[in-house]
Amino acid sequence: MNVVVCVKQIPDPAAPPALDAGTKNLVRAGKLILDDSDAYGVEMALQLADAAGGGEVTLVSMAPNGETSGLRTALAMGAARAILVSDDLLAGTDALGTAKVLAAAIKRAEPDLILAATESSDGYTGTTPVQIAELLGLPSVTFAKKVEITGTSVKVERQTEAGYDEVESPLPVLVTVTAGVVEPRYPSFKGIMAAKSKPVEILTVADLGLDAGQVGSAGARQRITQVADAEARAAGELVVDEGEGHQRVIEFLEQLKVL
Amino acid sequence: MSVDKIWVLAEVADGAPITTTLELITQARQLAGTVEAVAWGEATESVAATLGEYGVTTVHDVGDLGGALPGVPIASAIAAAVSAGNGPDAILLPATYDGRDVAGRLSAKLDRPVLTNVVGLTADDGGLVTQHAIFGGSQVLSARFTAEGPGIYLIRAKSFAAEPSGGAPASVVAAPAPDSGATNAARIIARHVEERTGPKLDEAAVVVSGGRGLGEKDQYALIEELASLLKGAAGASRAIVDAGWVPYSHQVGQTGKTVKPTVYLACGISGATQHLVGMKNSKNIVAINKDADAPIFSVADLGIVGDVHKVLPKLIEALKAKG
């Protein structure tokens, strides 16, 4: 069974984010790392390929400057290979443009199953996976808590407001997985060494046969008109707990008539 | 492009439109002369009465989905209306599980982008301008579409207040979904309702949330007990959802739920921007964290610098003693 996992390489979330003063795009110039949200998809893909008695896990990603450090992390976990789309034309690409690029790249891997996170940690639009499914003419099941392959179909427990739905779909299908549903493995030393020589195919917009007008800022068809400071909350009271901190909480709740 | 007609996705739960749908309709009334809705499922007639009360004149009823997930058939029905020239100038969708599916599908079908995580929507210069909270809500970004065609907007819960306009029941017109072939192959085979004691997370007057500072999964029981004593709901930071301690449905923040309770108690939560954006509009915020420099204290009305393992058990005991 061939599984494609869409992964995003993002600026370290621990570092303060910033917008470019001119384009108002998120600054993505520094070193990028594997989005934590994607580690669950990678782990699930490895487990499902194992359970199916073999198959290949391929990573598909789009990033500036041929960045592969995040991909190497996922390759070290056990993915077999990666397809990276990297092209200066892609600067400023929006979610739909990204979906067009990833869909074209995914097609080359001929997957039975495509996994993605429900949303990235940096841009968090959360629409790209479903846009990819539509562009590829595939069904999709989002917000999966559990994924099981049975022959030629997939059974998913999908998160709902009230609980969860059991959903069944024939393969190929795109599934988005929520965080915390599997425990991503730590790459072993052997895995890290092996990842260095695993194939990473780097493609351009032209390689994918896409028109430059569909991607980048030109394809985005939306613009940021303003960025302003939000109204700040007034500073509150700070109490150091020396054994009686809970009393202050109770007084506060009483004051608000919550108690 | 002027905005004359807005469609709102009417998501229904327990036989009635969800609150976020009513919030979007209320705001749509301020922005366009005609507000219509797209609905599906069984209770369309009674739903149409409620939607009318908030200002919807016509409900486009896609009908029974036959066990399909809403994303594909609803998007197909809207896309068909747009292609036939009967579509709206803007489509507002609640940022729910199904709302996001519909928006993504529709976007690709119409080849139109989506503006997501919208928290404000205003009319300006013949079009609509969106507001988005970024960097933990410390900044507000405004955006707009630059090309022709209907704008697709995914809007976060509690961005607007829901207020009825006293309108008559909306008329219902059938809007069946065209056949979508393989894309519509997924089927719901069973629905599971999880037992919930106490109010819903996004409707509770009190929300008690736990984070990494709890140390281990078992300690989340403190959060649940405190929430129950305060007749509130238990929430969580992304860190402990990612760690598998609690399900995604508990997550408060950018990638989870937006809450606006009377009191929000953040316990052992540092206050990453990801979390702040989902709770910083709470009316009152109490934070308990052992690190005095934790960013959560910058939005707290009352901050207790202390160990949750010491403060929470005492707080629980004191509340029990009060009865």
Side-chain angles (χ1 to χ4, degrees):
Chain A
M1 191 179 67
N2 289 326
V3 186
V4 157
V5 189
C6 301
V7 296
K8 192 168 181 184
Q9 304 175 88
I10 63 168
D12 189 342
L19 297 182
D20 180 273
T23 64
K24 303 275 198 301
N25 289 329
L26 204 57
V27 174
R28 299 166 57 82
K31 182 178 181 292
L32 303 178
I33 62 170
L34 179 70
D35 187 340
D36 267 352
S37 306
D38 290 327
Y40 303 97
V42 173
E43 178 62 40
M44 191 171 273
L46 294 169
Q47 289 183 13
L48 291 172
D50 258 1
E56 209 173 51
V57 174
T58 303
L59 311 167
V60 172
S61 188
M62 175 178 127
N65 310 322
E67 177 68 51
T68 60
S69 49
L71 291 176
R72 295 291 172 198
T73 305
L75 291 169
M77 287 173 71
R81 64 194 186 101
I83 302 173
L84 173 70
V85 188
S86 195
D87 194 319
D88 289 345
L89 289 172
L90 293 171
T93 302
D94 71 350
L96 181 56
T98 303
K100 289 175 183 172
V101 168
L102 294 179
I106 289 167
K107 224 183 244 176
R108 301 164 78 100
E110 297 178 1
D112 303 296
L113 176 69
I114 304 160
L115 294 180
T118 56
E119 66 245 308
S120 63
S121 302
D122 60 344
Y124 64 98
T125 60
T127 52
T128 307
V130 172
Q131 288 166 330
I132 290 172
E134 180 65 27
L135 292 166
L136 292 173
L138 297 179
S140 57
V141 186
T142 51
F143 295 95
K145 289 155 51 110
K146 196 175 165 196
V147 183
E148 204 184 329
I149 304 287
T150 45
T152 57
S153 69
V154 66
K155 205 166 163 185
V156 173
E157 288 183 8
R158 178 182 188 245
Q159 180 79 51
T160 62
E161 284 299 328
Y164 66 93
D165 287 347
E166 275 174 60
V167 180
E168 222 169 55
S169 171
L171 300 175
V173 60
L174 179 143
V175 176
T176 73
V177 295
T178 60
V181 291
V182 286
E183 194 169 335
R185 66 194 70 183
Y186 285 105
S188 63
F189 178 70
K190 207 175 132 204
I192 293 167
M193 295 312 287
K196 290 183 179 167
S197 56
K198 284 181 176 172
V200 177
E201 187 182 4
I202 300 186
L203 301 172
T204 63
V205 171
D207 291 336
L208 293 173
L210 289 172
D211 172 37
Q214 288 187 298
V215 298
S217 321
R221 294 169 292 165
Q222 52 193 280
R223 70 187 163 87
I224 293 166
T225 56
Q226 193 191 338
V227 179
D229 285 337
E231 208 177 305
R233 276 184 94 98
E237 172 193 349
L238 205 60
V239 178
V240 177
D241 177 50
E242 279 161 353
E244 298 302 321
H246 63 287
Q247 284 299 352
R248 183 67 197 96
V249 177
I250 288 185
E251 285 162 27
F252 187 77
L253 295 176
E254 280 173 340
Q255 218 177 308
L256 297 171
K257 306 211 186 315
V258 169
L259 290 181
Chain B
M1 184 197 76
S2 71
V3 178
D4 301 319
K5 183 159 70 174
I6 293 181
W7 281 13
V8 176
L9 186 77
E11 202 171 320
V12 170
D14 303 323
I18 62 166
T19 308
T20 313
T21 283
L22 300 178
E23 291 165 1
L24 303 192
I25 294 168
T26 306
Q27 185 65 10
R29 286 195 329 248
Q30 319 299 319
L31 303 169
T34 305
V35 181
E36 301 182 344
V38 181
W40 64 95
E42 287 158 11
T44 318
E45 287 297 335
S46 66
V47 166
T50 310
L51 295 173
E53 227 173 283
Y54 282 80
V56 169
T57 51
T58 301
V59 176
H60 301 268
D61 179 16
V62 185
D64 182 53
L65 304 185
L69 294 166
V72 170
I74 303 304
S76 303
I78 299 173
V82 171
S83 309
N86 302 323
D89 302 312
I91 302 153
L92 315 188
L93 308 99
T96 54
Y97 302 117
D98 290 336
R100 284 172 40 163
D101 279 5
V102 175
R105 287 281 173 182
L106 184 61
S107 158
K109 281 178 191 293
L110 298 178
D111 193 26
R112 295 280 303 148
V114 190
L115 280 165
T116 60
N117 285 299
V118 173
V119 297
L121 189 63
T122 47
D124 177 66
D125 197 17
L128 297 178
V129 174
T130 53
Q131 281 83 48
H132 310 254
I134 59 165
F135 303 158
S138 62
Q139 292 191 298
V140 179
L141 180 151
S142 302
R144 68 187 303 158
F145 289 119
T146 54
E148 289 297 311
I152 308 170
Y153 302 87
L154 256 178
I155 303 178
R156 291 187 72 98
K158 299 180 178 62
S159 297
F160 315 107
E163 285 161 17
S165 64
S171 60
V172 179
V173 297
D179 181 17
S180 309
T183 57
N184 196 25
R187 286 290 173 277
I188 300 169
I189 51 174
R191 314 202 84 152
H192 296 262
V193 175
E194 277 165 3
E195 287 276 333
R196 177 169 42 81
T197 51
K200 281 185 178 172
L201 180 57
D202 49 1
E203 290 171 1
V206 178
V207 172
V208 184
S209 285
R212 184 71 87 177
L214 290 169
E216 54 184 86
K217 183 177 180 172
D218 293 350
Q219 297 294 313
Y220 190 75
L222 290 171
I223 301 300
E224 286 172 322
E225 188 171 10
L226 185 55
S228 149
L229 284 165
L230 295 169
K231 298 182 181 60
S237 72
R238 175 174 164 178
I240 70 169
V241 173
D242 283 6
W245 295 4
V246 290
Y248 179 78
S249 52
H250 286 266
Q251 187 171 320
V252 172
Q254 170 180 290
T255 54
K257 292 228 158 53
T258 307
V259 299
K260 227 174 184 176
T262 308
V263 188
Y264 187 87
L265 277 101
C267 309
I269 291 176
S270 65
T273 55
Q274 140 79 237
H275 188 72
L276 296 182
V277 82
M279 48 62 78
K280 84 181 270 274
N281 290 325
S282 302
K283 290 178 196 77
N284 298 279
I285 297 171
V286 179
I288 306 169
N289 198 297
K290 64 181 177 194
D291 176 7
D293 296 324
I296 192 78
F297 289 127
S298 71
V299 298
D301 301 289
L302 173 63
I304 306 291
V305 183
D307 186 346
V308 286
H309 300 102
K310 290 181 180 153
V311 180
L312 290 183
K314 282 187 192 169
L315 185 55
I316 288 167
E317 282 317 307
L319 287 170
K320 278 183 179 164
K322 283 175 71 73

